[in-house]
Amino acid sequence: MIAGNDCIDQIKDFDTAISFFKRALSFNKTNGELFLDIGMCYLKLKDLENAEKMLENTIIIDKNNLKALHELGLIYLNKKNYSLAIEFLEKVKQSETGDFNLLSNLALAYSMTGNNSTAITYYEQILTSYAPPVNSGGEVVPEHRGFLNTNKVWLNLAKLYEKVGDFSQARGCYFNFLKNENNVSYDIEIKIAELEFNLKNYDKALEEFNRLYELTKNDDLLAKIGKTYFQLNNP
């Protein structure tokens, strides 16, 4: 017989499992693990409302239940209740060092509340702790490719640095995105050229805008080229 939230992934009929867990709960209404089991089944059924109720009962009984705290944090994140998501996810982080997904979700929640500096801190922590090793040329060591995909982290971090006006750091993050797994994205290359312009590196910006126009024939780049020529001739 399968029982316990660690085995939830092995259950196929979650509705039946819920009915049995509820029967067990009727004999022991202070068993936080049973509430957790039911909550996890509801999550598998994508019934967030009932999952939330069950998980809340779990932490009423056991306020330090990390699994319930973490899942509630994700539910609140999904519901865009970012302050509650942060509250619950931070409680988990206090007891654990924080894995890739926990730190990513915390960074996302903080960024959505406008607390960009804390979001940046968490994204930087992810890159420090989980980025795959690189060789002397700065390339990901082949056997570690896919160890953890940090592409989204680099992009989110670049956007946050742009928001706080640190164009140099943003440019570096976009470069790392392109370098990571040999990504190809003309949109990102255009963004880097725009950052060169913002950093007043007009010669470099013009070179990149011209190169990208030849590659993409993107007419939007013509205005950027003209604007960059104007800056070069009117310092």
Side-chain angles (χ1 to χ4, degrees):
M1 177 179 177
I2 295 172
N5 61 83
D6 289 337
C7 300
I8 292 296
D9 286 337
Q10 299 178 42
I11 297 174
K12 302 302 180 185
D13 186 348
F14 296 108
D15 288 308
T16 301
I18 288 170
S19 67
F20 278 100
F21 284 137
K22 284 186 174 180
R23 284 174 61 186
L25 191 62
S26 68
F27 297 104
N28 188 357
K29 295 183 179 179
T30 59
N31 188 326
E33 287 299 309
L34 283 173
F35 280 111
L36 178 59
D37 290 332
I38 298 169
M40 295 303 296
C41 285
Y42 277 126
L43 282 177
K44 293 293 184 180
L45 293 170
K46 302 188 186 307
D47 184 345
L48 298 187
E49 193 165 325
N50 277 314
E52 181 180 349
K53 291 175 183 176
M54 293 299 110
L55 294 169
E56 284 176 343
N57 281 323
T58 300
I59 62 172
I60 288 172
I61 296 167
D62 178 10
K63 66 179 182 180
N64 295 317
N65 190 301
L66 296 181
K67 182 67 173 177
L69 290 169
H70 185 258
E71 296 301 332
L72 277 169
L74 297 183
I75 288 172
Y76 294 134
L77 189 62
N78 183 273
K79 295 173 70 172
K80 300 183 180 181
N81 189 336
Y82 300 116
S83 58
L84 267 181
I86 289 169
E87 178 185 337
F88 281 81
L89 294 176
E90 282 287 6
K91 286 179 181 178
V92 177
K93 188 176 182 302
Q94 286 172 10
S95 300
E96 300 179 350
T97 55
D99 63 14
F100 185 94
N101 290 324
L102 175 60
L103 294 174
S104 295
N105 287 320
L106 273 166
L108 173 61
Y110 276 113
S111 68
M112 297 306 293
T113 63
N115 189 339
N116 296 321
S117 60
T118 302
I120 286 171
T121 297
Y122 277 124
Y123 280 132
E124 293 282 11
Q125 187 175 335
I126 291 169
L127 293 171
T128 300
S129 303
Y130 294 100
V134 296
N135 60 25
S136 58
E139 299 173 333
V140 173
V141 178
E143 59 266 30
H144 290 281
R145 287 191 185 280
F147 170 68
L148 275 174
N149 191 331
T150 53
N151 287 345
K152 190 172 182 181
V153 176
W154 284 118
L155 284 180
N156 289 339
L157 191 54
K159 292 172 184 176
L160 285 171
Y161 275 126
E162 279 191 88
K163 280 186 179 180
V164 300
D166 192 336
F167 300 132
S168 180
Q169 287 280 18
R171 178 185 58 185
C173 291
Y174 283 127
F175 272 128
N176 278 314
F177 168 80
L178 293 175
K179 183 171 63 176
N180 196 21
E181 300 285 353
N182 297 316
N183 289 308
V184 176
S185 171
Y186 290 131
D187 288 340
I188 298 299
E189 291 188 56
I190 290 170
K191 177 64 71 174
I192 291 172
E194 290 171 345
L195 290 169
E196 296 288 5
F197 182 92
N198 291 336
L199 289 164
K200 300 183 179 180
N201 298 329
Y202 299 125
D203 286 323
K204 182 64 176 176
L206 183 61
E207 177 186 340
E208 287 301 298
F209 284 140
N210 277 318
R211 179 182 69 83
L212 289 163
Y213 178 73
E214 289 302 315
L215 288 170
T216 66
K217 302 303 180 185
N218 182 344
D219 290 340
D220 291 340
L221 288 169
L222 295 175
K224 299 180 188 297
I225 291 169
K227 187 176 179 181
T228 309
Y229 269 118
F230 177 83
Q231 290 295 334
L232 280 168
N233 291 290
N234 294 275

